[in-house]
């Protein structure tokens, strides 16, 4: 039997455990009762045989003489008396019982049972004349009453056990259901709270010790869910704000083009503005998609960070000839992450450096025990002290009014990627310009 509910499984476990114990106790009790009834039958037949032998006298000539007591009729029921192997007294008994008693004559002290339907216990006690056995007394007692008692007790034990198991099952299901009721209530409340984003929490003070841990875990789950919801809401708001500007630019240029005919130069300028705005929107979307793809897993691999930095520096000089040059210095340190991940981490830092540098950008690579450090520094205006570490927050720019376009997602993305790889990005102090230090695990 299988059940899908915890209450049913606990009830089934309690029922199975109780059934085993009831079966063991019933078997032990009935075995002990059977042994006691058998012992009582043995004591009764032995007592009767001993009482009859006490009335026997062996004459010098070997004859056995019985001195009959006053209650001889009661004593002679089920009694055989043998002179040697010859019966001198027989009760009125079935042939099977007579035959079994004859077999016991002259065999010394012994006992035997007969089977159904004539179930008797027979006991033979010798009549001694000195060291010689002159005769035998065989006593019998019916076993039907004892067996009926044993069977009645066994049937009663089984019936009582069945009633007990039924009661245990019902009581266990009721008790377990009531015990699990607080869990059901907590589950329903957690579902309602998570659906509506409420700030209510269970706490651990007002709950039983067994439920305090569950309440704490549910509170932590609700806290994480609330934090993720706040993050998603904040990111959505910032993203909508950032996309509004290029989208408005595209809309304005499109309206301007369709309002009346334009000369080729005006059309070319509008098309270029639309393409630039679309590229900006694509960059914002790709940044978010890249973060989503790498948020939940670490990209394996090994790479020489200096080589990756030199590739990015060469690409920067080709794409932006007017931008300050990027100088890569340091040893050939190997990081325990892929080159693609190192590139995605360094690109936002280099874009930020090109945006504010006036004459130079330096990328320094060096090894330390267990890690690789990559420093990206520029000689621009730097990060204001009022901003500090907040520059890594989504949608936050160090200089909002500098005239440069940007979604404010590059540095937060770079930090998240570095941390997902087992490293980090920090803002280091610098006398001039900005200085960011990337820490990655050594390969």
């Amino acid at each position: 039997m299988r059940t899908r509910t915890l209450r049913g499984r606990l009830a089934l476990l309690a029922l199975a455990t109780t059934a085993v114990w009831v079966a063991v106790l019933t078997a032990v009790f009935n075995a002990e009762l059977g042994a006691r009834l058998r012992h009582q039958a043995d004591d009764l037949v032995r007592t009767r045989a001993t009482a009859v032998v006490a009335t026997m006298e062996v004459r010098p000539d070997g004859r056995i003489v019985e001195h009959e007591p006053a209650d001889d009729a009661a004593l002679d029921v089920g009694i055989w008396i043998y002179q040697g192997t010859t019966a001198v007294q027989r009760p009125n008994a079935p042939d099977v019982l007579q035959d079994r008693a004859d077999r016991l004559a002259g065999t010394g002290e012994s006992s035997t049972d007969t089977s159904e339907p004539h179930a008797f216990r027979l006991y033979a006690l010798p009549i001694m004349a000195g060291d010689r056995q002159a005769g035998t007394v065989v006593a019998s007692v019916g076993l039907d009453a004892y067996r009926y008692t044993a069977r009645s007790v066994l049937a009663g034990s089984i019936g009582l056990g069945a009633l007990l198991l039924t009661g245990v099952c019902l009581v266990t299901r009721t008790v377990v259901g009531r015990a699990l009721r607080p869990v059901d209530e907590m589950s329903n409340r957690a579902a309602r709270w998570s659906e509506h984003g409420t700030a209510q929490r269970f706490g651990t003070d007002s709950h039983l010790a067994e439920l305090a841990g569950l309440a704490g875990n549910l509170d932590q789950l609700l806290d994480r869910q609330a934090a993720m919801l706040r993050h998603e809401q904040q990111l959505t708001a910032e993203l909508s704000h950032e996309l509004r500007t290029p989208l408005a630019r595209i809309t304005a240029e499109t309206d301007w083009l369709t309002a009346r005919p334009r000369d080729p130069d005006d059309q070319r300028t509008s098309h270029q503005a639309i393409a630039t705005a679309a590229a900006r929107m694509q960059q914002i979307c790709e940044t978010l998609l890249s973060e989503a793809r790498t948020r939940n897993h670490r990209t394996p691999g090994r790479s020489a960070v200096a080589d990756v930095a030199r590739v990015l520096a060469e690409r920067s000089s080709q794409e932006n000839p007017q931008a300050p040059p990027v100088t890569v210095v340091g040893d050939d340190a190997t990081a325990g992450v892929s080159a693609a991940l190192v590139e995605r981490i360094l690109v936002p830092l280099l874009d930020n450096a090109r945006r504010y540098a006036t004459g130079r950008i330096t990328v320094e690579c060096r090894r330390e025990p267990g890690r690789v450090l990559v420093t990206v520094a520029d000689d621009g205006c730097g990060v204001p002290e009022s901003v500090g570490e907040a520059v890594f927050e989504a949608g936050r720019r160090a200089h909002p009014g500098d005239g440069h376009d940007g979604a404010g997602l590059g540095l937060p993305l770079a930090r998240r990627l570095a941390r997902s790889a087992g490293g980090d990005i920090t803002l280091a102090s610098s006398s001039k310009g900005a200085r960011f230090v990337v820490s990655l695990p050594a390969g």
Side-chain angles (χ1 to χ4, degrees):
M1 183 170 56
R2 301 179 63 184
T3 178
R4 296 182 179 273
T5 63
L6 179 59
R7 182 177 66 175
R9 292 187 178 184
L10 291 177
L12 182 61
L13 178 61
L15 181 64
T17 305
T18 307
V20 172
W21 277 108
V22 168
V24 171
L25 293 177
T26 300
V28 171
F29 173 76
N30 283 273
E32 181 66 19
L33 178 62
R36 287 184 177 272
L37 292 175
R38 185 181 185 87
H39 182 70
Q40 289 180 3
D42 288 341
D43 288 344
L44 177 60
V45 73
R46 188 178 295 111
T47 300
R48 295 183 63 191
T50 302
V52 172
V53 170
T55 65
M56 297 291 107
E57 178 185 358
V58 180
R59 296 294 175 85
D61 59 357
R63 289 186 305 108
I64 298 176
V65 178
E66 180 182 7
H67 299 285
E68 297 183 354
D71 57 348
D72 180 67
L75 190 62
D76 287 343
V77 175
I79 296 295
W80 288 260
I81 301 175
Y82 292 89
Q83 176 78 45
T85 59
T86 303
V88 296
Q89 177 180 316
R90 288 180 182 272
N92 185 16
D95 294 339
V96 175
L97 194 59
Q98 297 283 5
D99 181 65
R100 189 65 59 88
D102 292 341
R103 293 181 185 180
L104 293 176
T107 60
E109 185 178 3
S110 60
S111 61
T112 186
D113 292 339
T114 61
S115 58
E116 302 280 355
H118 305 291
F120 285 86
R121 179 74 169 167
L122 288 85
Y123 174 74
L125 184 64
I127 303 173
M128 304 299 296
D131 295 334
R132 181 177 61 86
Q133 181 177 352
T136 306
V137 173
V138 178
S140 68
V141 62
L143 299 179
D144 292 340
Y146 296 97
R147 294 185 178 181
Y148 176 78
T149 300
R151 291 170 181 173
S152 298
V153 172
L154 177 60
S157 301
I158 295 175
L160 182 61
L163 291 176
L164 177 63
L165 292 179
T166 303
V168 167
C169 182
L170 295 177
V171 171
T172 303
R173 287 183 64 87
T174 303
V175 171
V176 172
R178 292 183 177 180
L180 293 178
R181 189 174 301 167
V183 179
D184 293 337
E185 294 176 356
M186 292 174 65
S187 177
N188 295 332
R189 290 164 62 187
R192 292 194 304 269
W193 291 350
S194 63
E195 181 179 357
H196 300 290
T198 180
Q200 292 179 301
R201 295 295 182 267
F202 294 101
T204 57
D205 297 334
S206 59
H207 297 283
L208 298 175
E210 292 81 2
L211 298 180
L214 176 61
N217 292 333
L218 288 177
D219 286 345
Q220 293 179 5
L221 180 62
L222 290 172
D223 290 339
R224 288 194 296 269
Q225 187 177 33
M228 293 177 60
L229 182 60
R230 288 194 301 269
H231 174 73
E232 295 296 335
Q233 291 173 345
Q234 178 184 4
L235 189 61
T236 301
E238 294 169 349
L239 180 60
S240 63
H241 175 74
E242 294 296 331
L243 290 178
R244 187 181 298 114
T245 300
L247 183 59
R249 181 68 181 275
I250 292 175
T251 302
E253 292 293 340
T254 303
D255 292 341
W256 186 78
L257 282 174
T258 58
R260 61 182 179 84
R262 304 293 177 179
D263 57 47
D265 293 337
D266 290 340
Q267 291 182 1
R268 189 180 306 108
T269 302
S270 294
H271 292 163
Q272 183 64 36
I274 292 174
T276 301
R280 179 183 172 189
M281 294 177 65
Q282 181 181 6
Q283 182 183 9
I284 294 173
C285 294
E286 288 180 351
T287 300
L288 294 178
L289 290 176
S290 178
E291 177 191 3
R293 284 193 297 266
T294 58
R295 181 182 299 174
N296 297 324
H297 64 277
R298 178 175 174 179
T299 305
R302 300 174 72 250
S303 61
V305 293
D307 294 341
V308 177
R310 292 187 183 96
V311 172
L312 295 178
E314 183 178 356
R315 184 188 306 169
S316 175
S317 63
Q318 293 175 356
E319 295 177 352
N320 302 283
Q322 289 79 21
V326 179
T327 303
V328 181
V329 297
D331 52 30
D332 296 330
T334 301
V337 295
S338 65
L341 183 58
V342 174
E343 180 178 339
R344 287 198 296 269
I345 295 173
L346 294 181
V347 164
L349 297 176
L350 292 175
D351 289 342
N352 186 76
R354 282 195 299 268
R355 182 176 300 164
Y356 297 104
T358 58
R360 61 180 177 83
I361 300 173
T362 304
V363 178
E364 180 184 359
C365 306
R366 69 178 186 275
R367 284 179 294 186
E368 288 189 358
R371 64 176 183 170
V372 174
L373 297 181
V374 182
T375 303
V376 180
D378 62 73
D379 58 354
C381 54
V383 179
E385 294 183 0
S386 59
V387 177
E389 286 291 321
V391 74
F392 292 105
E393 296 178 0
R396 186 67 177 269
R397 291 198 296 268
H399 305 278
D402 56 10
H404 292 285
D405 294 335
L409 301 174
L411 293 180
L413 173 62
R415 169 174 273 189
R416 280 191 287 270
L417 293 176
R419 288 179 174 178
S420 69
D424 200 359
I425 298 180
T426 57
L427 175 63
S429 60
S430 176
S431 58
K432 184 178 181 181
R435 182 181 179 88
F436 294 93
V437 179
V438 182
S439 173
L440 295 173

